[in-house]
Amino acid sequence: MEARALAVVAQTHTQMQTLLARGASHDEVWNQMLMVELCAASRAHCEFIVARNFVGGLSDMDDDGALRPVLSRLAALYIVHTILGASGAFLEAGVLKVRHMRWLRDIENELLAEIRPDAVPLVDAFGFPDFLLNSALGRKDGNVYQSLFERALECPTNTAPLANGFFEHLRPVIDKSF
C-alpha cells in the first residue's frame, strides 16, 4: 500500500510540474486540472496510514486471548478490500500484476467467511444502539425477519399503486416460464 501511495503521489507531482511548465498557474493546476489526481493521492496516502496504524496497533497489543486473531483478520480484510477497490492504481503503479487479483478475491472471500461470526460483536463493541445503526440485520433482539417485513411495509415503494402499464407490459414477462 505504501508503494501505491508513493507512486500515485509521484505521478501527481510529475503531472503538476508538467502543467506548471506549460504555463498554467498554480491555482489552475491545483483547483481545476488535477483535482481527481489530488483526491486519489490523498485517498491512497490515508488508506496506507490506516493500514500501517492498524497493523502497528496489533503488534503493540498486550492481549494474548481471542481479540488479537479477530482484529488481525479484520486488518487483513481491510487491506485486501482496499487493494481490490483500487486495483487499477495498484496495477498502474506496478505494485501488483493481474494474476494477483483473483488470488486477492479468494482471500477476501475466505476472510469474510472467517469474520462473519464476529461481525455482530465487532459492531456491538462500538456501543451504537440499534435505532442509530438503522439496520434490520444484526439486531440484538434477533427479530431480523419481523424487522425486515415491517420495513418493507413502511417503504413508500410498497405503498404506492403499481405503475401504469404494469399489468399490460411487465406482468406477462414476469409470469413467463423460461
Side-chain angles (χ1 to χ4, degrees):
M1 291 183 80
E2 182 178 18
R4 171 250 189 159
L6 287 171
V8 173
V9 169
Q11 180 182 11
T12 302
H13 175 73
T14 300
Q15 287 177 308
M16 182 179 280
Q17 294 306 314
T18 301
L19 291 169
L20 289 170
R22 290 183 185 161
S25 74
H26 189 271
D27 287 342
E28 287 175 321
V29 170
W30 190 264
N31 293 321
Q32 296 171 11
M33 299 175 172
L34 290 180
M35 188 54 64
V36 172
E37 290 84 354
L38 290 166
C39 288
S42 174
R43 175 179 225 98
H45 176 74
C46 290
E47 289 170 346
F48 162 65
I49 295 299
V50 168
R52 184 188 69 188
N53 290 345
F54 201 160
V55 172
L58 288 171
S59 63
D60 294 343
M61 279 182 68
D62 292 334
D63 177 65
D64 290 327
L67 185 58
R68 185 188 302 271
V70 172
L71 292 179
S72 294
R73 286 190 294 272
L74 192 59
L77 178 62
Y78 170 77
I79 292 167
V80 169
H81 184 75
T82 301
I83 290 170
L84 288 170
S87 58
F90 282 90
L91 293 168
E92 190 176 336
V95 177
L96 294 174
K97 305 275 188 237
V98 173
R99 67 178 181 270
H100 296 128
M101 294 302 122
R102 179 73 253 161
W103 177 70
L104 286 170
R105 276 190 214 90
D106 291 342
I107 289 174
E108 182 180 43
N109 287 329
E110 290 171 16
L111 287 166
L112 285 168
E114 291 174 16
I115 288 173
R116 190 166 288 118
D118 300 313
V120 171
L122 283 167
V123 173
D124 286 348
F126 287 99
F128 296 121
D130 285 343
F131 80 91
L132 248 180
L133 293 174
N134 196 22
S135 172
L137 303 174
R139 297 170 52 99
K140 284 186 181 182
D141 63 10
N143 293 331
V144 174
Y145 297 110
Q146 179 182 347
S147 178
L148 282 171
F149 183 71
E150 288 169 1
R151 285 179 183 232
L153 290 175
E154 295 169 4
C155 180
T157 306
N158 294 331
T159 58
L162 294 174
N164 290 338
F166 174 81
F167 290 104
E168 181 183 350
H169 300 291
L170 292 178
R171 191 64 192 202
V173 174
I174 293 171
D175 289 340
K176 272 189 181 174
S177 124
F178 292 96

